[in-house]
Amino acid sequence: MPASPSTARAINDRLALRLLQQEGPLTAGQLKQLTGLSRPTVADLVERLTAAGLITVVGEAGEQRRGPNAKVYGIVSDRAHLAALDVRTEGVAVAVADLVGRVLAEASVPIGDDTGTGPAVEQAVALVERVVKEAGADRMHTVGIGAPGLIDPASGELRDSSGLPEWHRRLVATLQERLPEARVSVENETNLAALAEQRDGAARDRDTFVLLWLGHGTGAAVVLDGALRRGASGGTGEIGFLPVPGTTALPSSTDCEGGFHSLASAAAVMELAAECGVPVEPGQEVAQAGVVRAAVGVVRGAVVQVRAEDATAGPAPGSPDEHPPTGLAPAARFLDALADRLAVGVASVVAILDPGCVVLGGEVGRAGGEELAARVQDRIARMTPLPTEVRTTGLGGGAVLRGALLTARDRAQEELFTPGERLPQPSPGW
């Protein structure tokens, strides 16, 4: 059936706004060319969107014709403000942006393990309020939160999980109370990181892939045919509970010790480094990432030295350069052993889903870079007949915050860009 006039107008408006979001400010002539709509239709939608306060004239552009310069239209970016939160066990990061997603202010605060639930919530909320003020925003339209743990698919709430601080759940409810006009939503941190990698990171050319998150704990996010898959209970990707060889016990319904978590968590990475003879310095900001990054640096330095020697006659016998750099053997042994462990989890995912691409994310994925990704891919090629490319994150530690901001922007635009008649959710490319 043909669309009703009101539906056709809503579709045309959405199309124009989508182009203004993707391309930036455009003239009416450029909108006509990009949309394929007639000049009168474009004129009508420009007038309609301007009257609705969604677009405005942001400049002029000279065109190859006589007469006045053409007006350039852009989205009214301060029509709404958005907040994104990355909630970790050790702290919170906050970013505030305008309607087009331009970050106006951001900050983070650590929250110690010994901080009580009430004080921890107050620290996090105070940070949000401070960043909102620094951004010059009078109120929040949409707040997107990324947090570890399971999200109830029915209620959209963060489920009570053992091993995670109570202030996480309290924070979501408190923010909704303190920001009553805002639309507050929470999503699993790894899922948000995957959405960010799909839109802006290492998986931009993939509609099917798996993100393996390697940070304080472990997790995975599954994107199939362009859509994020959450599962019947919201638990798709809880790879920490995956039973694997190399552990002394099996995981339980309340504790992932004995599962893949025991091989790849932050504590496991630190223990492995010590076993391999890699120096472990306590007190580092992100200890496991620092150890992995240091090992990668040693290995890369050795490769550069070998290449330099190959380009010349090589080091003179007995010279200092004749011997490998100090720490090379422990560093290489550590990265190989870590890749062995990660390959166990990746191979399990590949055998079930055949995603064709696995992205190593989180602090460890970023620190390991191509050195670690190449090692894992080499092992996967020997463990499974299914072709699988292993990539390193394109966004690193900022992936969760970026994903939370993207989802907040999408939700705000879905509401504001569809006055009256609602249309289906935009595609992941929106």
Coordinates of all heavy atoms in Angstrom, one line a residue, residues 112-116:
G112 N 37.2 3.8 44.9 CA 37.9 2.7 45.5 C 37.0 1.6 46.0 O 35.8 1.8 46.2
D113 N 37.6 0.4 46.2 CA 36.8 -0.8 46.6 C 36.3 -0.6 48.0 O 35.2 -1.2 48.3 CB 37.7 -2.0 46.6 CG 38.2 -2.4 45.2 OD1 37.5 -2.0 44.2 OD2 39.2 -3.1 45.0
D114 N 36.9 0.2 48.8 CA 36.5 0.4 50.2 C 35.4 1.5 50.3 O 35.0 1.8 51.4 CB 37.7 0.7 51.1 CG 38.5 1.9 50.6 OD1 38.2 2.4 49.5 OD2 39.3 2.4 51.4
T115 N 35.0 2.1 49.2 CA 34.0 3.2 49.2 C 32.6 2.6 49.4 O 32.3 1.6 48.7 CB 34.0 4.0 48.0 OG1 35.3 4.5 47.7 CG2 33.1 5.2 48.1
G116 N 31.9 3.1 50.4 CA 30.5 2.6 50.6 C 29.6 2.8 49.4 O 29.9 3.7 48.6

